[in-house]
Amino acid sequence: MKRRNFIKTAGAAATIPMVLNGMNLSAAPMSALFSGIDPYSDKVLVIIRLSGGYDGLNVVLALDQYSNLSKLRANILIPEAKALKISTETGLHPAMTGFHQLFQDGKLSVVHSVGYPNQNRSHFRSTDIWQSGSSASEYVNTGWVGRYFEEDHPRYPEGYPNGGFPDPFAITLGSTVSETCQGTVGNFSLTLTDPFNFGKLTQGKETLFPGTPYGQELSFLRTSISQTNQYADVITAASKKGKTLATYPTSNLATQLKNVALLMSGGLKTRVYVANLGGFDTHANQVDSSDTTRGTQRELLFQLSEAIKAFQDDIRQLGLEERVMGMTFSEFGRQIKSNFSLGTDHGTAAPLFVFGSCVNKQILGKNPEIPATIPDQTGVPMQIDFRDVYGSLLQDWFGVSETEIKDYLFSNYTHLPIVKNCAIATDTEDFTFEETSVKVYPNPFHEVSRITFRLNASAWTRVSVFDNIGSELQVLISQQMGAGDHQVEFAGRDLPAGIYFCRIQVGREVQTMRLVKI
Amino acid sequence: MDRRATLSTLLGRSHVAKAQPIVESFQPPVLGLTPYSGAFGFEQAAHLLRRATFGAKYAEIKAAAAKGLNATLDDLFKDIKLPDPPLNYDYATDPSVPVGSTWINAPYVRDTSTGALLHQNYRNTSLRSWTYENILNEGISIREQLTLFWHNHFGVGDNQDPKFWYQHITLLRTYAWGNFKELIKKINVDPLMLRFLNGNQNTVNAPNENYGREVLELFTIGKGPLAGPGDYTNYTEQDIREVARALTGWRDQGYNTVDANTKVGSFFRISSHDTKTKKLSHRFDNREITNGFDKEHETVVDIIFSKSEVARFICRKLYRWFVYYEISADVEQNVIRPMADILIQNNYEIKPALRALLQSEHFFDALNIGPMIKNPLDFSINFIKQIGWSALNAADLANRHRAFNTLFREVGNQQMVYFDPPDVAGWKAYYQEPAFYRIWVNSTTLQARMRLTDRMATNNYTVGVRTGLNVLEFANSLPTPTDPYLLIEDMVSVLLPQSLTEQQMTDLMNAFLSGTPDYEWSTIWTNYTKNPGNNTARSSAETKLRNLVKAILSLPEYFLS
């Protein structure tokens, strides 16, 4: 337990006036000071995995790029007039009226072009990377949320649940545990399909186990069965006590989220829920041939948007709104050019959404810049590293210190202003970067191009160059840089002619410039 | 908490993460690959058959013990003919395949108005139930376990043409314990694999490295530690590229075809083949591959297999499938290395090396009896084969296959779907550190497993009608069914890997007899055997046996092999 977070969290939570089932929740963290109950246990993160790799360009519509988009993906492009605008140059897919409303209510944040360097376009490997929170070159067996829980519960699952922690740390809605919650020994998430039908298992009696592999596996099985049974009790109790007030649509995701609201309102202290919506791998028939606003993707986005809207309405009516934050992710985005089957193939970065009453209403990052002509297989260049999103949520939502977050994520991260006032207080950086100061010359270039930019204060800076499929070819700068003008050379003489992207990140500001090698 | 140690574990740098021991572990020296010289009794025979098959009955275990280890291994590796192909069991509307005939060479039909491909779903269903039929009727043979082993090894998934699948799975079954090197040569150009890893898009002008990467990383030599940029100790990124180039030019044919004359297969197109010389890295002694047209992919395999790491790599996978997940330095030295030597001496024939493993002191080491958490298929098939299931006695072929398909779904609920491993690396339980086999177990799969055994034991498993385990026949197959204690002991010896404590035996006696005296069971059983046609006598014995079987199968010990 980290003393500093402990105090910070307890203090912040005490300011939240909220009543649930007659119990003032703000009292809970304070009493935790004396009972040993996890003091920051009232914040909940809902992670929604959109599996298959979704076509972000058709979700968050870059209206200022339509002249080129209409050349590259005419057969699937959503008509500009149908876009649900969230700014003058950005819109949402017309099926996402729920999200549009949430944005207007200040409960939705759009984060552009999230990904990681050296994008792996394999579903399983990229999902592993997103769930483990590692870089593309590292193979890590634990999940980013699992490592977070493990810091304070290193012996889990042995001895859990217990009096201090009677509830599951995390719940995966579905029948496979999420790798996001994998710890070194156990997985911190309980799988749950139906909270009303969570059966008790025959447990049998404890026996003495010899110190053999057989004994160890038997002990693991008994622990799992006994843990399932004990969690069955708290889940059954919470689902009986809990309620939902909003009307949910009939869909798989809506049912998953309804269960989250039910269990939360029933008093379950689970911290992380992982929900899943699959089917985004739209190589073919992403849209209908007669109407691009219909088709597979439309149905999925409609389900996503309606389910989250209903969930948000529910937790507002239940008085739980300020305790819940949600985020979506998909293992990758898809290629800019559509294919001839009314679909799209595996690509690179994609936007993600963060929702809840404590998000900053905003669009983080910019519309991706779409060139008029691009090589086949070009994906959307990454603007924001996914670990920046994880790190910012851990920091602002769960009140984890920067040092620990770096341990969990195995890397530096850039703080993004995703969470607003109801969060635990964090420092905000001074504005340090003049985006207009970025110049790339010569461009197009033959051998060497120079990148110049100005900082008006010292800041952590990363300048790197990507190719069109999202591979980070060269990292030119990755360090703390002083105030003033900076220049760095990009030597691309050995590279084949084509399009490259220079990504400049200063603090939380990102600028992506297109580079053309001739 | 030792931060550095934890981090290195988190980063996967420690070789094998240890499970938390309950009491202090003792570490006796590892018994090696020397042939087992101890007694081969019921317990050893049961262990061997539990690992090498999907479950053996009491009489089969007894017979194996009487024959001895060598003769039992002869049986397990005996050449048997391939199963007859899957049939159209009950689908009346495929114009080219009447019910009762096979579909493996029959064309599809396209719907004239929508263009949709017709008559594929029933073939997928047929393929699945046929696979389960083969498993349930495997006899004393290691072939079905090895077929699944290779399916896991190559990890082909996705919904594909069932005719391609039939060819692929038949290849795996044919090579079950055959020549590993030859199998890879066949897999290189297997039509399903060409589609799965984009070999069919790998051409001189647009090389696709997908298969080239996996054949090195997952199928043959394995990825070693990162030794330098793009250098994975056993091979480099350059080798991936060059291997991919050498494999250019192959295409599959017959996918989803509506043409009766187009057979499933693959072919080589010279114009798509890269004829330039390929240069391998120092990891392959800078070898060069000159143009070999359609034989070039075989040269690639010969070069890869000239490295002894290939043998060690596949031996580790066989070890994790048949023995245990943890490979200590000791096991590597005393089991994997000598096994790999045998494999190389026999030019990559699997049988001698695997047979040596199953015949070794190490395999029969008491420490290796019981610590494997069964995968969902082993879990679900073992008890059904050992006890018997009434639905499998259905006279009607279509009804039997309906039963196989419900089982297929049950095993899927437990997160193992034949023909659909989660990814090309196979099921996570066989490679994902640190949890390995434990990945099979979570609150949902636990419930799915126990729901199946409960409903089967209590005759509440519905396949059109209520069905359940043949508990009366099971009891009757055991030597002393009149004695409740011996009856339980014998059931346990068949169903569980190790004997139970006295306390557990007492609990089972209570579950069985609910406190009534022992002699009452003797009376009930004798009464039934004298009047098997009498419903009252029958059900009175059956009810008690169902309670007993249910109690045994719900023990966590049953999860173990």
Side-chain angles (χ1 to χ4, degrees), chain A residues 124 128 137-142 147 150-151 154-156 158 172 174-177 179 182-185 189-193 197-205 207-222 224-225 228 404 407-408 410, chain B residues 1 3 6-7 9-13 17-26 214 217 223 324-325 367 369-371 373 413 415 422-425 428 432-435 438 441-447 450 454 497-499 501 503-504 507 554 556-557 559-560:
Chain A
F124 73 91
D128 276 357
S137 59
E138 264 179 324
Y139 286 77
V140 172
N141 297 328
T142 52
R147 291 192 295 278
E150 193 157 72
E151 175 72 22
R155 289 188 66 78
Y156 179 91
E158 214 185 298
T172 312
S175 49
T176 40
V177 291
E179 302 283 324
Q182 180 66 44
T184 311
V185 179
S189 73
L190 181 84
T191 58
L192 180 69
T193 38
N197 188 22
F198 199 90
K200 288 259 249 180
L201 308 168
T202 314
Q203 207 162 314
K205 285 188 184 141
T207 45
L208 268 180
F209 302 110
T212 61
Y214 176 72
Q216 286 171 22
E217 299 308 315
L218 203 48
S219 163
F220 165 77
L221 286 163
R222 283 199 193 284
S224 304
I225 292 169
T228 299
E404 280 167 84
D407 278 351
Y408 303 148
F410 312 117
Chain B
M1 175 171 182
R3 179 107 210 134
T6 308
L7 263 180
T9 312
L10 294 176
L11 289 164
R13 283 180 192 136
K18 278 245 192 293
Q20 310 260 348
I22 300 308
V23 297
E24 200 61 35
S25 288
F26 66 97
E214 307 303 11
E217 178 181 335
K223 199 172 187 171
Y324 195 49
Y325 66 80
L367 289 180
I369 298 182
I373 295 176
N413 289 341
Q415 301 305 306
D423 57 58
V424 62
K428 280 191 159 51
Q432 184 83 69
E433 292 184 43
R438 294 180 178 192
V441 176
N442 64 52
S443 53
T444 301
T445 57
L446 275 173
Q447 296 189 64
M450 292 207 182
D454 278 8
Q498 294 202 13
S499 54
T501 61
Q503 181 58 51
Q504 286 176 305
D507 292 345
S554 66
E557 281 82 354
F559 285 60
L560 295 171

Side-chain angles (χ1 to χ4, degrees), chain A residues 246-267:
Chain A
T247 308
Y248 284 85
T250 309
S251 73
N252 190 313
L253 183 64
T255 306
Q256 296 177 48
L257 294 177
K258 185 178 177 180
N259 285 334
V260 174
L262 177 83
L263 293 170
M264 278 191 70
S265 77

